[in-house]
């Protein structure tokens, strides 16, 4: 945790100082705590500070959601998107744009939240509801994801104007996002975070297997339903603010296990600290790799996620040899 906090402080400073205009840390400090009305002060306070705050909150939410998802399904390759959260949010937003003509960020926000919740509810119902198993949840999530993304692609191609607006939301970005959006979803993110941390102990029992968990007095069905609720709140809120940002919930639990082990009581809090580090650093990379243009953070995390999969495949081959 100490290492994660130190890395988070460094990533926050990097996010505030690095961009199209590089700034020394003393100027960043002055802009935050002793502003004099200069252009640098405006850049830090009006552009980079909101972007950094949103990145930290969204990163923590995605990291927590990924840790809960992988522990719940006992699958190290599980991703929060498996519950249909990203697909549901995307389907709702493309409907708002293409059918209802809603173009404001605030309108997209509420549609994305509603779509994420409905998709997660549908996946849980198709997976068996209270009697859902990890395998049935994965199969139901795959089916719902395929159907919803097919709907998104069809409607986007049918309405070219929808495709033009949708591509800015669906890529996943921290740019041009206002703090007011974060304030709106803050209760959902906070509630999901508290629920995820409270579930750490029962999830540790579930990770041993359902029979062992029941023998230890854990209500497995209740833990499973509450875990789905936590993932929906965390990842639905994060997706509503920034669009779908992939691989954070997949990569961070892998990285955190190297430092804290597989115990969810340590893994889940560590993921909440390490995930914002990855998201903020990815955002900084996107700002500087192709100046003066930017690469959206969702594209950077997808590239890093591809490298992770290659690494995991190579590790498995070496283990088999």
């Amino acid at each position: 945790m100490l290492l994660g906090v130190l890395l988070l402080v460094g990533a926050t400073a990097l996010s505030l100082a690095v961009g199209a205009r590089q700034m020394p840390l003393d100027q960043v400090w002055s802009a935050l705590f002793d502003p004099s009305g200069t252009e640098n002060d405006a850049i830090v306070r009006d552009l980079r500070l909101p972007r950094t705050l949103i990145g930290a909150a969204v990163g923590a939410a995605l990291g927590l959601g990924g840790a809960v998802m992988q522990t719940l399904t006992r699958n190290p390759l599980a991703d929060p998107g498996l519950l249909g959260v990203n697909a549901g949010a995307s389907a709702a937003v493309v409907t708002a744009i293409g059918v209802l003509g809603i173009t404001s960020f605030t309108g997209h926000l509420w549609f994305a939240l509603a779509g994420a919740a409905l998709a997660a509810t549908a996946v849980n119902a198709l997976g068996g509801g209270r009697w859902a198993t990890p395998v049935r949840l994965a199969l139901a999530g795959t089916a719902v994801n395929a159907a919803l993304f097919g709907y998104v692609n069809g409607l986007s191609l049918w309405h070219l104007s929808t495709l033009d607006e949708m591509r800015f939301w669906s890529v996943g970005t921290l740019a041009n996002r206002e703090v007011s959006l974060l304030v709106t979803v803050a209760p959902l993110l906070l509630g999901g975070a508290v629920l995820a941390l409270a579930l750490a102990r029962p999830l540790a029992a579930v990770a041993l297997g359902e029979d062992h968990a029941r023998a230890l007095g854990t209500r497995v069905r209740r833990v499973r339903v509450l875990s789905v609720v936590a993932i929906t709140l965390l990842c639905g809120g994060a997706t509503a603010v920034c669009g779908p940002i992939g691989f954070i919930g997949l990569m961070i639990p892998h990285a955190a296990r190297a430092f804290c082990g597989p115990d969810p009581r340590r893994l889940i809090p560590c993921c909440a600290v390490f995930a914002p580090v990855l998201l903020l650093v990815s955002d900084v990379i996107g700002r500087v790799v192709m100046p003066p243009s930017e690469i959206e953070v969702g594209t950077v995390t997808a590239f890093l996620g591809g490298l992770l999969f290659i690494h995991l495949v190579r590790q498995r081959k070496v283990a088999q040899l």
Side-chain angles (χ1 to χ4, degrees), residues 214-232:
R214 291 190 181 94
L216 293 171
T218 302
R219 298 180 179 179
V220 176
R221 294 174 184 170
R222 180 182 179 185
V223 171
R224 189 178 296 120
V225 171
L226 291 177
S227 297
V228 171
V229 171
I231 294 168
T232 303

Side-chain angles (χ1 to χ4, degrees), residues 5-321:
V5 170
L6 292 175
L7 289 174
L8 181 56
V9 171
T12 301
L14 197 66
S15 179
L16 292 172
V18 177
R21 175 180 294 186
Q22 313 296 333
M23 296 184 194
L25 289 178
D26 60 335
Q27 290 187 15
V28 173
W29 182 271
S30 176
L32 291 175
F33 300 103
D34 188 23
S36 56
T38 64
E39 185 178 356
N40 285 347
D41 292 348
I43 291 174
V44 172
R45 296 173 67 89
D46 298 336
L47 298 179
R48 294 184 183 174
L49 182 60
R51 189 167 182 165
T52 301
L53 292 175
I54 292 174
V58 168
L62 295 175
L64 284 169
V68 173
M69 188 67 187
Q70 291 187 12
T71 305
L72 175 67
T73 60
R74 301 192 295 276
N75 181 1
L77 295 180
D79 184 85
L82 191 65
L83 282 180
V85 173
N86 290 348
S90 299
V93 170
V94 78
T95 301
I97 296 172
V99 178
L100 303 178
I102 296 174
T103 58
S104 66
F105 279 134
T106 304
H108 296 172
L109 173 71
W110 291 112
F111 271 88
L113 286 172
L118 289 174
T121 302
V123 169
N124 189 55
L126 292 173
R130 293 177 58 188
W131 294 271
T133 64
V135 174
R136 294 180 67 178
L137 279 176
L139 292 174
T142 301
V144 171
N145 272 318
L148 290 178
F149 278 125
Y151 167 77
V152 169
N153 292 333
L155 189 58
S156 298
L157 293 175
W158 188 23
H159 293 276
L160 295 181
S161 59
T162 301
L163 177 62
D164 189 53
E165 291 190 31
M166 183 67 183
R167 63 189 177 92
F168 290 107
W169 184 86
S170 63
V171 73
T173 181
L174 299 177
N176 301 320
R177 297 297 191 263
E178 299 178 357
V179 177
S180 59
L181 297 177
L182 178 61
V183 173
T184 302
V185 301
L188 301 179
L189 298 181
L190 183 60
V194 171
L195 185 56
L197 293 171
L199 288 170
R201 185 175 294 275
L203 280 173
V206 172
L208 299 174
E210 294 187 2
D211 292 337
H212 287 85
R214 291 190 181 94
L216 293 171
T218 302
R219 298 180 179 179
V220 176
R221 294 174 184 170
R222 180 182 179 185
V223 171
R224 189 178 296 120
V225 171
L226 291 177
S227 297
V228 171
V229 171
I231 294 168
T232 303
L233 291 175
L234 290 166
C235 299
T239 303
V241 174
C242 299
I245 298 177
F247 292 102
I248 295 290
L250 173 63
M251 289 187 285
I252 286 302
H254 280 282
R257 286 188 191 98
F259 298 97
C260 64
D263 189 339
R265 291 170 293 183
R266 297 187 180 93
L267 178 65
I268 292 177
C270 282
C271 286
V273 178
F274 280 102
V277 175
L278 177 60
L279 189 58
L280 291 176
V281 171
S282 298
D283 186 45
V284 172
I285 292 173
R287 298 183 211 173
V288 302
V289 71
M290 291 183 63
S293 301
E294 288 190 9
I295 298 177
E296 285 75 8
V297 67
T299 303
V300 178
T301 58
F303 175 76
L304 296 177
L307 294 180
L308 173 66
F309 273 115
I310 293 173
H311 173 68
L312 292 175
V313 170
R314 288 179 60 85
Q315 268 195 335
R316 181 164 297 182
K317 285 184 178 180
V318 171
Q320 289 175 346
L321 290 176

